[in-house]
């Protein structure tokens, strides 16, 4: 079974999965490996990273030397297809004209969605992160604890391949032995930050990223992931044999034709397709979930984008994994006599508690890096280290003026040159040109770095999305309207980030080259810009205060599930993708079990 | 995309070029406003050109002029070549800028239909014209016909914005932007990447971290 067109779909499936990214990919993988017949519906085009990834291309071969444009917001070679902050024909709106109260929504219209270009940073939520309200009284507890999710973190890490190390740090969980792949060696700048950060109390440790630092073991892992399922073991072993180890070149954001990093299209979908149980329908925009007179979902109505026709697909279970925002939109648009406010929205909670990560950054120039002996530090196409949040105790004791933590990411070093390379700050070069300019370019190349913080945002009543009462997309589907307001917990945290980064740049003997904003409200990145969009269909233990239960199953319709970031009840500083996958696997196990029992 | 090519080299016909230059000259943002954020009117200058869209072929090797017409006139291009090589001459580590296609890149950049590029087109076109005016005023000939020491005499007055005299501030902003584009164009070529000391983009069996001499230099050995 394969990629299909709308006229080739089966009359009915066990499961319809809407979306093909981290949540959709994991759901399709788990369900098809266990024998369920799945239709995956993707709003974008089919995409094959093996054929389409620009490995080794240099910026000199790209239009405008690879510089970002409105068509390719993250640069020409970024893997995103037909996506960005704006998608043609598919608008969204903001309730406020104030830029600080707007939300930027990144979408990718391609098979695999945002997993194709993401940073591959794969951090586990810790025990505190599932029970934040119990710890400080703010936000919401999840209906599950770290112990409930830990086995699924283990499984996902083994499946997708995550490098990293176990450091035994607070609320920064270790993985069991044999789960993580070896962490790559740190680069020169990363080591200097590690040495100098110590006196500031910062622990620079190996980051966890979904990149194969060595090949996976196709004999050992499949039996652990699929006990008592020889067919799944065989298929997974073969899929693992198709993946190469990282060859330490090419940015991960381009995707990877040798499947050395995780993206849904190279890791989840090939084995799922190999089961024979998966149909993938690209270029299909889901309008709504259909329900019968008993209030049970029967499938979805979608627009075939290639013909513009509206069509229906049927299944026993519908799983939304279209991204937090898009899944919310589908729920709100699924209006019926029985559910006049939209599906799952009997309590008005759909769209509420939308979250992103707090982001702020600061750049510096480090004289110690000038004229270093030439060496190759491409590495694993992204960071090798990071700084986990280090002030849990101080924060819990009330010594900080914001409630939740952040981690620090950074890249130092001698990247492939792009637009801007060779132009050292004029304050250093005093405007040279000619031979001296070339010498300056060599001297200052690779001497700048930028620290960025990724922090926890606490859900609040002012951050949500609903349907715009006027605006519709090209197919007449009402679009999302975003409402936003940061609280001081976020803006103060952003200010703290910049102060930390200034201290660290100073400790490295460097000079800050970017403005330190006096106000956290100016230091903080615009909402949505970090692309850690979660919430809007949050899970909870009570039907009156949440949209789904701990399995992502909507309280109102038991055969509808949400398997993307929408169910997050909090947004820890840990990047959400790994948790999305762990929860999707967990939800799929439950869903399959309920189907076997005849409950769905 | 537009196919207003007069010949196979990707350059537009003279009529279109003149139309664009007139439009550029009437644009509200003059050289004094070298800041980010173009107005929609400026962006409209590039109506004939369209971008590569949201799903371009990432594997193709692109040449300047493949996607939108280039717009430098012959005279502007001649000045650009000379100025490119004054900024990045050949030395033992790398070739001069004009020998690796940097003037084409400058042309591609200022001709692009994306936000901000129309402003750069105005800045560069006016800067190049100013260079000739200044060259005639000081030395009685256009910039490309001056001796190198005459050319550098002018560039020396422009190259450092903070210390440039008030009457050269506008031209100094042009020079800074031009130098930025020349460096961007040069150091993204294979020759430029080698020149600046980039040693990556090669497949490795293992990543061994920094060599010992690097660690020693940083006090990390």
């Amino acid at each position: 079974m394969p990629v299909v067109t709308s006229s080739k779909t089966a009359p009915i499936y066990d499961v319809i999965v809407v979306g093909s990214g981290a949540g959709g990919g994991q759901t399709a993988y788990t369900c098809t490996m266990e024998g369920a017949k799945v239709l995956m519906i993707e709003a974008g085009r089919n995409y094959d990273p093996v054929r389409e990834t620009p490995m080794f291309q240099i910026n000199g071969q790209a239009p405008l030397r690879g510089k970002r444009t409105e068509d390719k917001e993250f640069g020409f070679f970024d893997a995103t297809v037909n996506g960005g902050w704006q998608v043609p024909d598919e608008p969204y709106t903001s309730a406020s004209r104030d830029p600080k109260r707007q939300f930027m929504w990144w979408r990718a219209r391609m098979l695999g969605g945002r997993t194709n270009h993401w940073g591959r940073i794969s951090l586990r939520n810790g025990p505190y992160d599932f029970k934040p309200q119990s710890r400080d009284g703010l936000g919401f507890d999840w209906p599950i604890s770290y112990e409930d999710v830990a086995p699924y973190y283990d499984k996902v890490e083994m499946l997708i391949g995550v490098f990293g190390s176990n450091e035994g740090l607070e609320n920064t969980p270790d993985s069991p032995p044999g789960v993580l792949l070896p962490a790559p060696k740190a680069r020169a700048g990363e080591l200097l930050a590690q040495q100098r950060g110590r006196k500031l109390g910062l622990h620079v440790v190996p980051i966890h990223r979904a990149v194969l630092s060595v090949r996976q073991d196709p004999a050992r892992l499949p039996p652990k992931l699929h006990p008592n399922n020889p067919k799944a073991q065989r298929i997974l072993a073969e899929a693992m044999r198709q993946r190469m180890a990282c060859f330490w070149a090419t940015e991960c954001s381009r995707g990877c034709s040798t499947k050395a990093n995780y993206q849904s299209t190279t890791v989840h979908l090939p084995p799922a397709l190999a089961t024979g149980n998966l149909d993938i329908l690209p270029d299909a925009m889901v309008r709504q979930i259909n329900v019968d007179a008993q209030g049970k979902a029967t499938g979805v109505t979608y627009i075939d984008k290639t013909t513009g026709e509206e069509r229906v697909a049927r299944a026993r279970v519908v799983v939304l994994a279209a991204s937090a925002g898009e899944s919310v939109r589908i729920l709100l648009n699924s209006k019926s006599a029985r559910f006049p406010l939209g599906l799952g929205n009997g309590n008005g909670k759909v769209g509420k508690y939308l979250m992103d990560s707090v982001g702020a950054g600061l750049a510096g120039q480090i004289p110690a890096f000038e004229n270093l002996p030439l060496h190759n530090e491409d590495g694993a196409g992204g960071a090798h280290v990071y700084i986990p949040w280090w002030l849990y105790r101080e924060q819990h004791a009330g010594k900080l003026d914001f409630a939740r933590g952040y981690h620090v990411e950074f890249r130092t070093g001698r990247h492939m040159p792009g637009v801007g390379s060779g132009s050292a700050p004029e304050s250093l070069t005093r405007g040279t040109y000619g031979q001296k300019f070339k010498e300056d370019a060599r001297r200052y190349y690779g001497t700048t770095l930028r620290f960025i913080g990724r922090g926890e945002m606490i859900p609040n009543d002012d951050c949500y999305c609903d349907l715009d009462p006027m605006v519709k997309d090209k197919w007449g589907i009402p679009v999302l309207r975003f409402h936003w307001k940061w609280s001081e917990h976020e803006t103060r945290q952003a200010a703290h980030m910049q102060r930390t980064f200034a201290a660290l740049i100073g400790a490295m003997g460097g000079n800050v080259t970017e403005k330190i904003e006096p106000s956290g409200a100016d230091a903080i990145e615009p909402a949505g810009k970090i692309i850690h969009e979660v919430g809007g269909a949050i899970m909870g233990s009570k039907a009156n205060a949440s949209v789904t239960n701990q399995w992502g199953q909507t309280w109102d319709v038991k055969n509808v599930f949400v398997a993307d970031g929408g169910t997050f009840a909090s947004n820890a500083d840990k990047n959400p993708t790994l948790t999305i996958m762990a929860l999707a696997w967990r939800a799929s196990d439950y869903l399959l079990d309920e189907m076997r029992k005849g409950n769905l | 995309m537009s196919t207003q090519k007069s010949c196979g080299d990707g350059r537009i016909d003279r009529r279109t070029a003149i139309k664009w230059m007139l439009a550029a000259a009437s644009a509200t943002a003059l050289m004094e406003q070298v800041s980010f954020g173009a107005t929609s009117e400026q962006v409209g200058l590039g109506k004939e050109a369209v971008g590569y869209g949201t799903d371009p072929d990432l594997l193709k090797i692109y040449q300047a002029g493949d996607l939108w017409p280039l717009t430098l006139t012959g005279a502007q291009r001649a000045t650009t070549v000379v100025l490119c090589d004054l900024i990045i001459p050949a030395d033992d580590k790398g070739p001069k800028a004009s020998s690796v296609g940097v003037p084409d890149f400058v042309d591609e950049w200022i001709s692009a239909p994306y936000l901000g590029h129309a402003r750069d087109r105005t800045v560069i076109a006016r800067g190049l014209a100013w260079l000739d005016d200044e060259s005639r005023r000081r030395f009685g000939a256009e910039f490309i016909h001056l001796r190198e020491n005459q050319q550098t005499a002018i560039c020396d007055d422009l190259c450092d914005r903070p210390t440039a005299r008030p009457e050269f501030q506008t031209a100094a902003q042009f020079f800074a932007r031009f130098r930025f584009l020349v460096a961007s164009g040069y150091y993204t070529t294979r020759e430029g990447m080698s020149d600046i000391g980039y040693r990556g983009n090669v497949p490795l069996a293992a990543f061994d971290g920094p060599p010992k001499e690097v660690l020693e230099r940083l006090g990390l050995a």
Side-chain angles (χ1 to χ4, degrees):
Chain A
M1 288 165 95
V3 174
V4 297
T5 58
S6 59
S7 58
K8 303 281 195 216
T9 55
I12 186 162
Y13 292 86
D14 293 319
V15 182
I16 286 173
V17 178
V18 183
S20 60
Q26 184 64 59
T27 303
Y29 172 90
T30 303
C31 292
T32 56
M33 286 296 228
E34 293 301 321
K37 300 288 183 188
V38 175
L39 174 66
M40 169 177 278
I41 303 181
E42 164 55 46
R45 76 160 168 88
N46 189 18
Y47 170 71
D48 178 8
V50 174
R51 284 190 303 105
E52 299 191 51
T53 309
M55 313 294 283
F56 296 111
Q57 260 80 348
I58 65 169
N59 287 313
Q61 298 169 329
L64 302 174
R65 297 308 204 245
K67 178 74 173 164
R68 65 153 293 282
T69 66
E70 300 91 276
D71 283 333
K72 295 279 288 188
E73 294 276 3
F74 288 165
F76 187 76
F77 289 128
D78 180 82
T80 303
V81 168
N82 292 327
W85 301 118
Q86 298 295 334
V87 174
D89 303 324
E90 302 184 35
Y92 60 92
T93 65
S94 274
S96 171
R97 288 171 168 240
D98 178 353
K100 288 191 182 339
R101 299 198 60 178
Q102 295 180 350
F103 182 86
M104 301 169 70
W105 192 20
W106 183 274
R107 291 167 291 176
R109 290 289 180 246
M110 64 194 301
L111 192 66
R114 298 180 292 200
T115 67
N116 293 303
H117 89 135
W118 72 305
R120 274 75 182 177
I121 295 174
S122 304
L123 305 176
R124 295 182 177 211
N125 278 5
Y128 303 165
D129 301 322
F130 289 100
K131 303 294 177 189
Q133 189 188 25
S134 297
R135 193 168 147 79
D136 62 21
L138 300 167
F140 309 108
D141 283 348
W142 298 54
I144 45 179
S145 65
Y146 175 72
E147 287 67 33
D148 295 313
V149 187
Y152 289 96
Y153 280 134
D154 297 351
K155 292 210 281 188
V156 170
E157 287 173 351
M158 285 188 276
L159 173 68
I160 69 174
V162 175
F163 74 63
S165 64
N166 291 322
E167 301 291 327
L169 295 171
E170 187 173 14
N171 198 40
T172 304
D174 290 347
S175 301
V179 169
L180 295 176
L181 304 173
K185 292 203 167 104
R187 302 176 177 92
E190 294 172 331
L191 290 168
L192 189 70
Q194 183 176 56
Q195 182 198 58
R196 304 297 173 85
R198 272 185 210 122
K199 65 181 111 170
L200 301 174
L202 307 174
H203 304 282
V204 176
V205 299
I207 197 168
H208 294 211
R209 291 183 63 234
V211 180
L212 302 187
S213 54
V214 297
R215 294 185 76 177
Q216 291 172 299
D217 185 343
R220 183 176 67 87
L221 296 174
K224 279 178 175 286
L225 296 177
H226 299 287
N228 311 315
N229 186 343
K231 182 186 173 189
Q233 291 176 25
R234 196 172 62 246
I235 288 170
L236 178 57
E238 178 53 27
M240 286 182 166
R241 279 191 285 269
Q242 299 297 320
R243 300 184 65 192
M244 304 296 119
C246 181
F247 52 56
W248 316 106
T250 300
E251 291 289 309
C252 288
S253 59
R254 298 180 178 198
C256 192
S257 69
T258 62
K259 308 185 179 185
N261 62 31
Y262 163 80
Q263 55 203 103
S264 173
T265 35
T266 55
V267 179
H268 277 139
L269 300 185
L273 284 167
T275 64
N277 295 326
L278 177 64
D279 279 352
I280 297 174
L281 177 62
D283 297 309
M285 186 79 192
V286 171
R287 173 193 292 274
Q288 65 181 44
I289 298 169
N290 301 319
V291 292
D292 62 18
Q294 287 72 46
K296 199 172 172 206
T298 58
V300 301
T301 297
Y302 64 90
I303 315 295
D304 179 339
K305 286 180 165 179
T306 62
T307 63
E309 287 172 24
E310 195 165 279
R311 285 180 169 265
V312 168
R314 297 171 57 84
R316 290 166 68 188
V317 174
V318 175
V319 179
L320 296 180
S323 81
E326 206 69 69
S327 292
V328 162
R329 182 181 174 208
I330 292 168
L331 290 171
L332 292 175
N333 275 319
S334 301
K335 290 176 180 166
S336 59
R338 194 180 179 100
F339 303 114
L341 299 175
L343 196 154
N345 199 28
N347 57 16
K349 292 291 183 189
V350 172
K352 299 297 191 297
Y353 313 118
L354 189 67
M355 292 165 271
D356 188 24
S357 291
V358 177
L362 199 67
Q365 194 271 337
I366 313 293
F369 298 157
E370 291 170 19
N371 289 322
L372 276 184
L374 307 187
H375 62 290
N376 172 3
E377 54 180 22
D378 278 0
H384 290 187
V385 303
Y386 81 123
I387 305 171
W389 179 236
W390 64 101
L391 296 172
Y392 284 106
R393 280 172 203 167
E394 291 79 353
Q395 198 164 45
H396 201 47
K399 291 177 182 169
L400 302 179
D401 62 359
F402 56 99
R404 303 278 171 79
Y406 60 90
H407 71 259
V408 185
E409 300 171 12
F410 62 106
R411 280 292 287 283
T412 65
R414 313 175 71 88
H415 311 299
M416 178 186 284
V419 168
S421 291
S423 292
E426 282 179 84
S427 58
L428 299 173
T429 64
R430 297 317 308 261
T432 53
Y433 67 98
Q435 183 59 37
K436 181 68 167 52
F437 180 77
K438 294 187 84 173
E439 287 160 16
D440 281 343
R442 293 168 199 136
R443 173 179 173 179
Y444 293 112
Y445 165 61
T447 68
T448 54
L449 82 177
R450 191 165 193 269
F451 292 101
I452 57 171
R454 294 290 178 257
E456 177 163 357
M457 169 192 174
I458 300 168
N460 71 58
D461 290 335
D462 295 316
C463 296
Y464 64 99
C465 53
D466 55 11
L467 293 180
D468 190 294
M470 309 290 289
V471 181
K472 295 181 169 65
D473 70 11
K474 181 183 177 180
W475 302 280
I477 308 172
V479 308
L480 285 184
R481 176 176 64 179
F482 290 95
H483 307 253
W484 200 267
K485 191 179 178 189
W486 295 113
S487 82
E488 289 191 331
H489 288 294
E490 288 85 42
T491 55
R492 287 170 176 169
Q493 185 195 61
H496 191 273
M497 288 177 183
Q498 282 203 325
R499 290 197 296 273
T500 300
F501 305 155
L504 187 50
I505 291 165
M508 294 172 76
N511 305 295
V512 172
T513 55
E514 198 175 0
K515 188 179 176 200
I516 302 172
E517 298 288 349
S519 162
D522 295 318
I524 197 166
E525 295 275 14
K529 195 169 174 203
I530 311 305
I531 322 184
H532 292 167
E533 151 210 346
V534 299
I538 69 167
M539 62 166 64
S541 53
K542 295 196 184 74
N544 62 358
S546 55
V547 177
T548 80
N549 64 14
Q550 61 166 307
W551 314 105
Q553 182 180 32
T554 63
W555 291 111
D556 289 2
V557 180
K558 69 178 182 179
N559 66 336
V560 172
F561 290 74
V562 179
D564 52 33
T567 62
F568 280 37
S570 74
N571 192 15
D573 72 272
K574 284 80 169 185
N575 311 41
T577 307
L578 188 75
T579 300
I580 289 173
M581 289 191 257
L583 294 178
W585 196 327
R586 185 172 183 271
S588 296
D589 277 358
Y590 170 81
L591 174 166
L592 291 161
D593 199 40
E594 289 290 287
M595 278 208 294
R596 283 184 206 110
K597 289 178 184 162
N599 293 335
L600 290 175
Chain B
M1 59 168 282
S2 167
T3 52
Q4 301 203 22
K5 295 178 183 177
S6 56
C7 52
D9 66 358
R11 278 163 208 137
I12 59 164
D13 63 71
R14 192 170 153 275
R15 206 173 119 257
T16 307
I18 290 169
K19 197 166 70 181
W20 281 18
M21 294 324 298
L22 287 174
S26 65
T28 51
L30 301 180
M31 289 177 56
E32 288 76 11
Q33 295 165 303
V34 187
S35 60
F36 287 101
T39 66
S40 55
E41 287 79 8
Q42 285 174 283
V43 175
L45 292 177
K47 270 193 198 99
E48 285 86 350
V50 294
Y52 47 66
T54 54
D55 190 11
D57 181 351
L58 301 186
L59 303 183
K60 180 176 145 70
I61 294 174
Y62 292 84
Q63 309 291 339
D66 280 357
L67 291 165
W68 45 82
L70 304 181
T71 58
L72 284 179
T73 64
Q76 288 172 327
R77 171 164 285 264
T79 313
T80 295
V81 167
V82 170
L83 193 53
C84 278
D85 292 341
L86 279 170
I87 291 168
I88 298 191
D91 66 2
D92 61 339
K93 291 202 168 66
K96 61 184 179 180
S98 69
S99 70
V100 291
V102 174
D104 289 334
F105 164 68
V106 173
D107 202 349
E108 178 201 15
W109 182 277
I110 65 161
S111 308
Y114 293 106
L115 204 64
H117 291 261
R119 187 201 53 244
D120 278 340
R121 180 156 63 237
T122 306
V123 169
I124 301 304
R126 290 183 162 245
L128 294 172
W130 180 92
L131 268 188
D132 275 344
D133 288 347
E134 184 69 7
S135 300
R136 278 189 292 265
R137 189 180 68 76
R138 283 201 215 180
F139 303 110
E142 275 118 23
F143 189 74
I144 60 167
H145 299 305
L146 304 186
R147 292 195 307 274
E148 188 172 327
N149 64 343
Q150 294 171 321
Q151 291 167 337
T152 56
I154 294 175
C155 292
D156 287 345
D157 287 335
L158 313 181
C159 66
D160 188 31
R161 272 185 292 185
T163 57
R165 293 208 303 274
E167 65 267 33
F168 294 128
Q169 275 301 319
T170 300
Q173 294 195 34
F174 149 73
F175 193 87
R177 191 63 184 160
F178 194 92
R179 181 175 49 203
F180 175 88
L181 292 177
V182 171
S184 297
Y186 181 76
Y187 290 112
T188 45
T189 63
R190 293 202 188 281
E191 295 83 354
M193 294 199 303
S194 168
D195 186 328
I196 206 169
Y198 174 65
R199 291 294 177 266
N201 204 38
V202 290
L204 302 174
F207 181 76
D208 295 327
K212 190 157 170 283
E213 62 267 32
V214 171
L215 296 176
E216 283 168 358
R217 275 273 301 278
L218 293 172
L220 299 166

